């Protein structure tokens, strides 16, 4: 069985690529992401399910299950996993909340995705720093 420090390092190593790739994509192609999220919103509750299972569930499960770090920079990744899991839970139990989240793509436009991309790259950098 893996100890918490070992499993946390594995999660950090695995999450570097998705964080950085998604972050760079959000910055380089915010119009594409905006269009995708607007499309998901237009799908109604099906869009909430699609976003949840395609983009959010696996990282949330990995972080919440295997990254229980409560000190230093690692706590940021742990808290991200908890917040993401809370968002998933609320979105699936109360789809109107998930739809409201998807609607923010239209409200915040390109700048919202660029800001999100920067945050994702910071999370990736934290994972790199922690897994070295």
């Amino acid at each position: 069985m893996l100890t918490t420090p070992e499993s946390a390092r594995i999660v950090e190593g695995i999450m570097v690529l998705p964080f950085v790739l998604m972050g760079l994509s959000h910055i380089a192609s915010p119009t594409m992401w905006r269009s995708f999220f607007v499309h998901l919103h237009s799908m109604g509750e099906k869009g909430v399910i699609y976003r949840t299972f395609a983009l959010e569930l696996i990282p949330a499960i990995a972080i919440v299950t295997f990254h229980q770090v409560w000190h230093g920079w690692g706590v940021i990744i742990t808290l991200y996993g908890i917040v993401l899991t809370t968002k998933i839970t609320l979105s699936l139990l109360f789809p109107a909340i998930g739809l409201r989240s998807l609607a923010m793509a239209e409200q915040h436009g390109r700048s919202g995705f660029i800001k999100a991309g920067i945050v994702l790259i910071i999370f990736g950098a934290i994972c790199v720093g922690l897994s070295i």
Side-chain angles (χ1 to χ4, degrees):
M1 182 171 188
L2 295 174
T3 65
T4 300
E6 291 169 339
S7 65
R9 286 182 65 122
I10 291 169
V11 169
E12 292 156 6
I14 289 171
M15 291 304 298
V16 168
L17 184 60
F19 279 147
V20 172
L21 181 58
M22 295 287 279
L24 290 173
S25 178
H26 274 58
I27 292 167
S29 302
T31 304
M32 174 188 72
W33 281 101
R34 182 182 180 277
S35 173
F36 177 62
F37 275 74
V38 167
H39 174 70
L40 289 177
H41 184 261
S42 74
M43 293 171 63
E45 293 176 353
K46 292 177 188 174
V48 173
I49 294 168
Y50 186 82
R51 181 206 54 207
T52 299
F53 285 89
L55 299 175
E56 299 171 339
L57 191 59
I58 299 300
I61 289 171
I63 293 169
V64 167
T65 304
F66 297 112
H67 197 279
Q68 293 298 308
V69 176
W70 297 106
H71 55 84
W73 287 98
V75 73
I76 294 171
I77 304 303
T78 301
L79 292 174
Y80 171 76
I82 291 168
V83 168
L84 187 58
T85 302
T86 303
K87 176 186 172 191
I88 289 167
T89 303
L90 292 173
S91 292
L92 293 178
L93 294 178
F94 307 101
I97 292 173
L99 285 168
R100 195 170 349 147
S101 171
L102 287 172
M104 290 193 309
E106 201 155 17
Q107 297 166 355
H108 297 289
R110 293 171 43 92
S111 66
F113 285 99
I114 292 170
K115 290 173 187 172
I118 292 167
V119 171
L120 288 169
I121 290 171
I122 291 169
F123 286 168
I126 291 170
C127 286
V128 167
L130 292 172
S131 63
I132 294 177

